[in-house]
Amino acid sequence: MKERAECEICGRYEYLEEHHLIPGIANRKISDKYKLTIKICRACHQNIHSKKELMQWSKEKGQRLFERKHSRRKFIEMFGRSYL
Ligand SMILES: [Zn+2]
Ligand SMILES: [Zn+2]
C-alpha cells in the first residue's frame, strides 16, 4: 500500500516506498521489529539500492536509530556486525 507524503531523503511529495535501512533477507525481520525503516520515493529507493555509498549511509542510519534505544553490543548481536 502506498501513501503520498514527503520523501525522507529528497523531500519530494510523492508516493512512498518503505526501505529497510539494514539490507539482507534475515535482517528485514529485525528491521521491522525495531522500526529501522524509512519512507522514500521510488527514485531515491532505486538510488539507495544501486549506489554503494548510499547503502552505507543507510546502514549507518539504521544503526544510529537502533542505538537510540539499545546498546551497540545488542546491535552486533542482532545484525552480526557494526557499521559505525
Ligand atoms: Zn526521494
Ligand atoms: Zn529498500
Side-chain angles (χ1 to χ4, degrees), residues 3 19 35 46 56 77:
E3 52 178 295
H19 168 67
K35 299 195 169 47
Q46 281 175 342
Q56 182 59 32
E77 229 170 74

Side-chain angles (χ1 to χ4, degrees), residues 17-21 28 40 45-46 48-49 55 58:
E17 302 177 349
E18 189 175 51
H19 168 67
H20 294 74
L21 290 165
R28 237 183 122 90
I40 52 179
H45 203 186
Q46 281 175 342
I48 223 169
H49 281 276
M55 190 48 91
S58 169

Side-chain angles (χ1 to χ4, degrees), residues 70-83:
H70 314 278
S71 67
R72 180 156 300 178
R73 220 183 83 196
K74 174 118 176 152
F75 184 89
I76 296 169
E77 229 170 74
M78 305 297 286
F79 293 99
R81 55 161 294 180
S82 170
Y83 297 107

Side-chain angles (χ1 to χ4, degrees), residues 7-12 40-45:
C7 170
E8 287 186 38
I9 291 179
C10 70
R12 252 183 14 198
I40 52 179
C41 72
R42 188 167 182 80
C44 285
H45 203 186

